[in-house]
Amino acid sequence: AAALKPLCGGVPQWTWAFNTIALASLAVIRPLAGAPPADPAAALSAVEWVLSPLAGVAQIFVVGDAVSGAMILGATALYSPACAVAAAYGSAVGAGTGYLLGAPAAEIATGLWGFNPSLTALAVSVFYVPSAGAAALATGGAVATAAVFGGAKGAVAASLGIPIATLPFCAVASGCHLLSLANLPGLVLAAAPHSPEKNVAAG
């Protein structure tokens, strides 16, 4: 992480260090090599739809379980209700984007399409002062993150036999952060990034 800091410039390091070490280690064992594809004909039930954003939040910690996701959001809400909302919202946007892109139902139900967008929406909520522009950026960032995930996961799994981890989040969140340089109306970086509640109070 210390070595990456100068390379990131003014952009947060996100989880680049985690991805570097974890994916390099996984490349040795190639856990997804030869894995059968998900059934494209399966459909999501109404319950799976409702629970998929919770599973997406849990997948941040490599757990595809809605109950775990609800517990994580509950704990997050004790610190910052707005952060919990952002995380759940990003995961829901990711699940919806996956559906529109024709993702297999099993991938959506287990939260694979939700965890990267959840992190992106959460990052925007922490680093920007809350506003309509920041909300739009969180939404667009979550959609873009899901699209990057969908476009890259198959190629990475097929060629290297490894998951894509949180690389989509790192890439898109970096772009979202760099948008602050464009001085767009309604997009203001927090002077001391914290929770959305404290960002408002500090502003």
Side-chain angles (χ1 to χ4, degrees):
L4 286 173
K5 186 174 182 179
L7 299 176
C8 292
V11 176
Q13 293 186 51
W14 312 121
T15 54
W16 287 114
F18 157 73
N19 282 294
T20 301
I21 301 302
L23 295 181
S25 301
L26 289 173
V28 176
I29 59 175
R30 304 184 72 221
L32 300 184
D39 182 5
L44 281 170
S45 69
V47 172
E48 287 175 325
W49 260 120
V50 172
L51 297 180
S52 62
L54 297 177
V57 172
Q59 280 286 6
I60 295 171
F61 301 94
V62 203
V63 180
D65 176 69
V67 174
S68 298
M71 294 173 66
I72 292 166
L73 287 177
T76 303
L78 292 176
Y79 166 73
S80 166
C83 279
V85 169
Y89 175 71
S91 184
V93 170
T97 303
Y99 175 78
L100 293 176
L101 293 176
E107 292 184 359
I108 297 174
T110 55
L112 293 181
W113 283 78
F115 71 97
N116 274 291
S118 177
L119 288 169
T120 298
L122 180 59
V124 171
S125 79
V126 167
F127 282 90
Y128 279 93
V129 176
S131 66
L137 180 60
T139 303
V143 170
T145 304
V148 171
F149 171 80
K153 71 178 181 67
V156 172
S159 60
L160 301 177
I162 59 175
I164 199 168
T166 56
L167 287 176
F169 153 66
C170 288
V172 177
S174 295
C176 289
H177 194 277
L178 288 171
L179 276 178
S180 63
L181 301 176
N183 295 316
L184 297 174
L187 284 182
V188 179
L189 280 179
H194 209 286
S195 64
E197 293 91 343
K198 292 193 175 183
N199 288 345
V200 168

